[in-house]
Amino acid sequence: ELLYQRLTQATAQTGGGVRGGLLFKGNPARRQVALTFDDVPHPLYFPLVLDALQRAGARATFFVIGRNAQAYPYFVQDMVRGGHEVANHTFHHIRLPKLSDAQITAELKRTNDLLTRLSGQPVRYFRPPGGEYSARVLKIAEGLGLTTVFWTDDPGDFQNPGVETVEARFARSLRPGGIILLHDNAPDGLAAL
């Protein structure tokens, strides 16, 4: 199973696209990247991210923590009005591999249901918190109709290493088909954006 997963990942990273319910990279033949934000929405920083994206005419995929969406439902509605994709990042932002199948399902389903209700749209994508997953997690996500999305580029904005560092990492790794991992609660990432 692990060997099959590694082969699938290698194929997906070369050719891009969704393979077996997993997305590791976009289409490398298209001169575009996907901006993705984890852990949203943060009440102080999220409006600034939306504003920066709107000014640039850019769209992003937001991996939403369910409890944050529950606390700030109007931000989810702002995402949709801005033409952004709303995606699942679990309800409690908990590492999933240590949970039972029922707990994993509840984390994903509860978030899907909430986001669908708030956005009026079905949830298509999922990203495991911390990038930690197992074959069980992937199978459960796929069973719920979710494509698990990873990333090709992580500029480490959540560590706030300095705006110049985030920009340099961003520029160094940027390639067609890339999936960029960012966070809305990282001031250095926001300034670089």
Side-chain angles (χ1 to χ4, degrees):
E1 198 169 276
L2 182 59
L3 182 59
Y4 175 75
Q5 182 183 352
R6 286 184 179 155
L7 178 62
T8 300
Q9 183 176 352
T11 303
Q13 286 175 334
T14 301
V18 177
R19 313 241 181 201
L22 307 174
L23 178 60
F24 291 98
K25 182 179 182 179
N27 184 345
R30 295 182 69 185
R31 291 185 45 86
Q32 69 184 116
V33 298
L35 293 175
T36 68
F37 291 84
D38 281 10
D39 306 343
V40 300
H42 186 284
L44 296 177
Y45 298 106
F46 187 73
L48 301 173
V49 170
L50 280 183
D51 182 61
L53 292 171
Q54 180 183 15
R55 283 186 283 120
R59 302 289 176 263
T61 301
F62 291 103
F63 289 91
V64 179
I65 297 173
R67 69 175 178 223
N68 292 3
Q70 191 172 50
Y72 309 105
Y74 41 87
F75 285 142
V76 174
Q77 294 158 353
D78 288 346
M79 287 177 214
V80 174
R81 276 194 294 277
H84 304 287
E85 182 85 30
V86 178
N88 189 326
H89 200 47
T90 73
F91 196 84
H92 294 101
H93 198 261
I94 191 168
R95 302 306 196 252
L96 297 174
K98 64 183 178 183
L99 301 181
S100 70
D101 288 5
Q103 290 170 314
I104 295 167
T105 301
E107 281 285 325
L108 297 178
K109 187 162 178 11
R110 185 175 178 189
T111 305
N112 276 357
D113 292 347
L114 175 63
L115 294 178
T116 298
R117 184 169 45 78
L118 293 174
S119 71
Q121 301 173 354
V123 179
R124 302 182 311 159
Y125 300 111
F126 157 69
R127 178 174 286 152
E132 292 182 21
Y133 64 95
S134 66
R136 287 183 314 114
V137 170
L138 299 178
K139 185 175 182 178
I140 291 168
E142 188 174 21
L144 292 171
L146 295 168
T147 297
T148 301
V149 179
F150 297 95
W151 58 89
T152 59
D153 305 302
D154 178 2
D157 65 333
F158 67 94
Q159 297 168 331
N160 288 303
V163 177
E164 296 81 14
T165 300
V166 173
E167 288 175 345
R169 291 174 181 171
F170 208 62
R172 181 179 63 234
S173 301
L174 206 56
R175 302 283 182 276
I179 300 172
I180 312 303
L181 170 64
L182 298 166
H183 298 80
D184 75 333
N185 59 351
D188 289 352
L190 178 59
L193 182 66

